[in-house]
Amino acid sequence: MIKLTDVSHRYHIGDQVTHALHHLEFSAEPGEIISITGPSGSGKSTLLSIMGCLLKPSDGTVSVMGNNLDTLDDAEKAALRRNHLGFIFQSFNLIPVLNAMENVEYPLILCGIDSRERKQRAERMLATVGLQQQMKKRPNQLSGGQKQRVAIARALIAEPDFVLADEPTANLDSHTAADLLALMSDLNKELNTAFIFSTHDPKVQLFPIGSFILKMER
């Protein structure tokens, strides 16, 4: 599971201090779908970065899959991300010179999977997200919804326990956003992968999933 205990985070810019998170308690279990909601500037992306082992909080304790992050070095945190966490970014973050298949395969290269198995797994995952006909297309040949499906396939290819999604529908129209939310719900049931979203998008907030609300510090 992911568990945050009494977590606070502060950003220092010159003499100014911004409190992004303040004495926060949070936990997520495998198989859950949780929407982290709140206005812009309430700390949603900061919270995802902390639970994704990308940012150390100013105070408090973070545990991922039973590992206290304070006890891990950078290499161990990287291994934890590689083996247990998948990421979906608001701007997709696809590699422009690689096609859809190669983008999805990329995490498996980092895991040391041989090329034949990489191809087979990437083909299956792209078929699962409905992109059988777009496997050889590069990102600039795909629509926004198709790029997000590639990003979902890439996040899931290494079979993580948790997928962290930062504003996953922000750049999509309402119909495409609804389709992608339904797809992720189906994948959650099929693979028992937990999805944790950050969002201020009402399309996500109205979806029948758990909700964790962040309020801005005044």
Side-chain angles (χ1 to χ4, degrees), residues 31-106:
E32 288 189 302
I33 304 181
I34 299 174
S35 155
I36 301 171
T37 64
S40 295
S42 60
K44 300 185 301 297
S45 295
T46 297
L47 176 54
L48 278 183
S49 295
I50 288 173
M51 68 177 70
C53 314
L54 298 170
L55 180 66
K56 179 180 173 61
S58 302
D59 303 295
T61 302
V62 182
S63 174
V64 177
M65 304 304 293
N67 298 275
N68 184 335
L69 298 191
D70 285 338
T71 68
L72 304 183
D73 60 27
D74 289 343
E76 290 169 328
K77 289 178 184 177
L80 193 63
R81 287 194 297 270
R82 186 169 59 246
N83 295 326
H84 298 287
L85 302 174
F87 296 87
I88 302 172
F89 301 95
Q90 180 178 345
S91 56
F92 314 125
N93 280 19
L94 301 180
I95 301 172
V97 297
L98 302 182
N99 63 33
M101 170 81 75
E102 293 163 339
N103 266 283
V104 174
E105 280 186 86
Y106 187 72

